[in-house]
Amino acid sequence: MDSSTETLMHAGDYKLEQLLITSPTTGETADITEFMLEINLYEDLFSFCLSGNVIIADSANLISNLPILGNEYVTIKTRTPTLEDTPDNVISKTFQIYAIYDRSLNDDRSQFYNISFMSIEGYESQTTAIGKSYKGTTDEVASKIYQDYI
């Protein structure tokens, strides 16, 4: 869409350009922009990463056909409506799915479910266990952990 025909209606307005799910095993990507009912992004001073969830109305059985099992990647591409679609004006961020819940059948052809995701760094931080003792100063220990695990 031509950005000159777009208007800002409220503070914080955004245009969702793309919402993709990518399978880490097959590399297959599905654009779920048209299936999205609601998307929420959370940023918290007391949380170590960005997180969010998206509610999907799935009439193409993506959850089985892709399949969506968890650990897939969700890529969100968004911009402010009146700005041109250039790399400087677009926000693109990839997250990793960690939960699928509230799955319910609407009828024989569609279903609803909620996909929760967090930034890839947060996911790796939550799933990487460090079970080793270290000696040295705090900065030496942090440096060694960074080299070994990150």
Side-chain angles (χ1 to χ4, degrees):
M1 176 181 267
D2 183 21
S3 62
S4 63
T5 62
E6 298 174 333
T7 60
L8 287 174
M9 299 299 289
H10 306 285
D13 274 356
Y14 68 94
K15 178 166 179 28
L16 184 65
E17 297 284 326
Q18 224 173 26
L19 183 61
L20 303 174
I21 291 186
T22 305
S23 171
T25 54
T26 64
E28 187 177 346
T29 299
D31 188 348
I32 61 167
T33 308
E34 300 300 319
F35 298 103
M36 181 206 64
L37 295 178
E38 179 179 323
I39 189 165
N40 300 294
L41 289 173
Y42 304 105
E43 184 176 26
D44 184 359
L45 289 173
F46 303 107
S47 179
F48 56 90
C49 66
L50 285 171
S51 63
N53 69 307
V54 60
I55 299 173
I56 302 293
D58 184 359
S59 59
N61 200 20
L62 291 171
I63 199 164
S64 297
N65 293 337
L66 191 56
I68 303 172
L69 305 170
N71 296 335
E72 289 79 19
Y73 299 105
V74 174
T75 302
I76 300 170
K77 180 182 172 188
T78 185
R79 68 178 173 86
T80 301
T82 56
L83 299 179
E84 292 181 27
D85 189 2
T86 62
D88 291 339
N89 297 331
V90 172
I91 298 171
S92 184
K93 176 73 176 155
T94 301
F95 299 89
Q96 194 158 7
I97 295 174
Y98 68 87
I100 302 165
Y101 60 96
D102 291 342
R103 186 174 175 189
S104 63
L105 295 174
N106 184 31
D107 53 32
D108 62 340
R109 295 183 186 204
S110 68
Q111 57 187 319
F112 297 104
Y113 47 90
N114 196 330
I115 296 174
S116 292
F117 52 84
M118 67 173 50
S119 65
I120 295 171
E121 303 83 11
Y123 185 85
E124 289 176 1
S125 176
Q126 289 292 326
T127 57
T128 303
I130 301 173
K132 182 177 173 183
S133 63
Y134 290 92
K135 292 184 180 179
T137 63
T138 305
D139 60 332
E140 292 171 345
V141 171
S143 177
K144 183 68 175 154
I145 291 172
Y146 183 78
Q147 291 171 1
D148 292 348
Y149 294 99
I150 300 173

